[in-house]
Amino acid sequence: MVENPASKGDLAKRLSSYWKMEGANVVILPAIMVALAGGQVGPLALFALVPMCGLLLVGTLYWRAKLAQLQGQDTLSPTLRTVKKWRRPLFIATILAVLGVIGALIEPGIARSRGDFWVAFAAALLAALEYVNYYHRQLQHFDHLADFTRLFSGRGFRKSQMRRDLERAGLA
C-alpha cells in the first residue's frame, strides 16, 4: 500500500483518527442534534438519523479495516462484503429520509416540531453526503493537504477510496 515508512506511519495515524472520529460521531452527532432541538424530535427526525448513523458506522468499519490492512491484517475483504451488503438499504433509507424532509416542507404537520424538522433536515443531508462520500466520490478534502490541493487544481472529485476498494474486490 505505502512503501515509505514515514508515510506509512503518517497514514496509520490519519486512519486511526478517521475510524475513531466516525465511530464517535455515531453517538455525538445525534446527541448534539437532539439537544439543539430541545429534545423536541419525533418520528421524522428519528427516521432520518438511522441512515446517517448507519453510514457513519460503515465509515467506522471501513477505516478501521483499512488501518488493519496497513498493519498487515486481512480484515478488509470481510468488511467490504459488509459495506456492500448495507449499500442498498442505506441508500433506500437515505432517499426516504430526504423524501420525508421534502414532505415536511410541503405538509408541515409531518414534522412534530420545528426541531424535529431541522434535525431531520440535517440528518438527511449528512446521510446523503456520507453516502456519496463513501460509495461514490470523495467529498471530504479539508483534512489532508494533497486532497485539498487536488480539489483546487481543477481535477474535480475523485472516486472514493471505499469505491475503489469495492471495485478491486469485484463488489462495486
Side-chain angles (χ1 to χ4, degrees):
M1 183 176 197
V2 175
E3 299 300 321
N4 183 336
S7 296
K8 187 175 180 178
D10 291 344
L11 180 57
K13 186 176 178 180
R14 215 169 60 239
L15 292 176
S16 180
S17 68
Y18 282 175
W19 80 265
K20 291 173 185 171
M21 179 180 61
E22 295 292 284
N25 280 333
V26 172
V27 175
I28 292 170
L29 285 179
I32 289 171
M33 292 170 149
V34 170
L36 288 173
Q40 298 298 309
V41 296
L44 180 65
L46 296 175
F47 182 80
L49 287 168
V50 170
M52 182 193 82
C53 290
L55 286 155
L56 289 168
L57 185 57
V58 161
T60 302
L61 296 172
Y62 174 71
W63 290 121
R64 178 63 187 106
K66 286 301 284 185
L67 176 61
Q69 179 189 40
L70 185 66
Q71 296 168 335
Q73 300 167 27
D74 186 23
T75 60
L76 187 59
S77 294
T79 300
L80 289 175
R81 285 191 296 279
T82 298
V83 300
K84 166 69 174 168
K85 180 175 85 172
W86 283 101
R87 181 179 180 173
R88 182 164 294 177
L90 288 169
F91 176 73
I92 292 168
T94 299
I95 294 300
L96 291 174
V98 169
L99 290 174
V101 169
I102 292 169
L105 284 170
I106 296 166
E107 177 55 53
I110 291 174
R112 178 178 162 200
S113 66
R114 214 160 191 215
D116 188 33
F117 173 79
W118 285 109
V119 169
F121 175 83
L125 178 62
L126 286 172
L129 292 171
E130 286 289 6
Y131 183 85
V132 171
N133 189 51
Y134 281 122
Y135 287 105
H136 297 286
R137 296 281 172 197
Q138 179 184 339
L139 299 179
Q140 181 178 326
H141 288 84
F142 58 83
D143 63 338
H144 189 239
L145 184 59
D147 290 336
F148 191 71
T149 304
R150 183 186 190 288
L151 178 66
F152 285 101
S153 72
R155 293 184 282 167
F157 294 101
R158 68 177 176 189
K159 283 184 184 177
S160 69
Q161 182 65 47
M162 191 170 87
R163 172 70 182 211
R164 290 183 289 181
D165 282 341
L166 287 166
E167 286 175 352
R168 275 192 290 273
L171 299 169

